[in-house]
Amino acid sequence: MKRYKSILASILAVVMVFLVSCGSPTPTKPPAYTPETLEQISSYESKLLSFRDRMTELEGFIAAKDWVNVRSLIHGPLGSLRQDMSYVSRLLLLPSEQKTALAEARDIFRHLEAIDQAAEARNYALARDNYAEALKDFDRFFTLLPTS
């Protein structure tokens, strides 16, 4: 009886190996955006575009060396920009694009923080340069968003 169990176990193991090796893997589709995700991205995109439009106000304040309004705009209306860009980057974009989007978002925030520090120090050149870089990063971020 003991010999019969070991022979049966060996035969079953050979059959399992044969069945597993003969099976073909099912092809997987590359990840894609669902209609619901595209709708969410579109909603956030319009919100982010309004932030982008507010950046032109920032340019005017920097040009006028209106440092109080520069800092107020960064901490006020542009304050939720970080949260929204992070949400889109982490939860709505495909995994292949998340890392790049997060890097662009971090660059935008780094430039906004530098503009804030420049406004505090009343450093026009530093504020102007970081503003230009922030706009470039903003535009690169938008190229990562899918079109419906």
Side-chain angles (χ1 to χ4, degrees), residues 7-23:
I7 292 173
L8 183 60
S10 297
I11 292 173
L12 283 175
V14 168
V15 169
M16 291 295 289
V17 168
F18 177 74
L19 288 175
V20 169
S21 66
C22 289

Side-chain angles (χ1 to χ4, degrees), residues 2-55:
K2 205 175 197 184
R3 205 174 242 277
Y4 175 72
K5 285 183 181 179
S6 64
I7 292 173
L8 183 60
S10 297
I11 292 173
L12 283 175
V14 168
V15 169
M16 291 295 289
V17 168
F18 177 74
L19 288 175
V20 169
S21 66
C22 289
S24 64
T26 56
T28 58
K29 294 180 181 177
Y33 292 106
T34 64
E36 295 82 20
T37 304
L38 286 173
E39 186 177 321
Q40 283 182 312
I41 290 172
S42 176
S43 133
Y44 273 94
E45 184 176 15
S46 63
K47 191 174 183 181
L48 293 173
L49 281 171
S50 72
F51 285 130
R52 173 69 169 78
D53 292 340
R54 295 298 302 260
M55 293 284 285

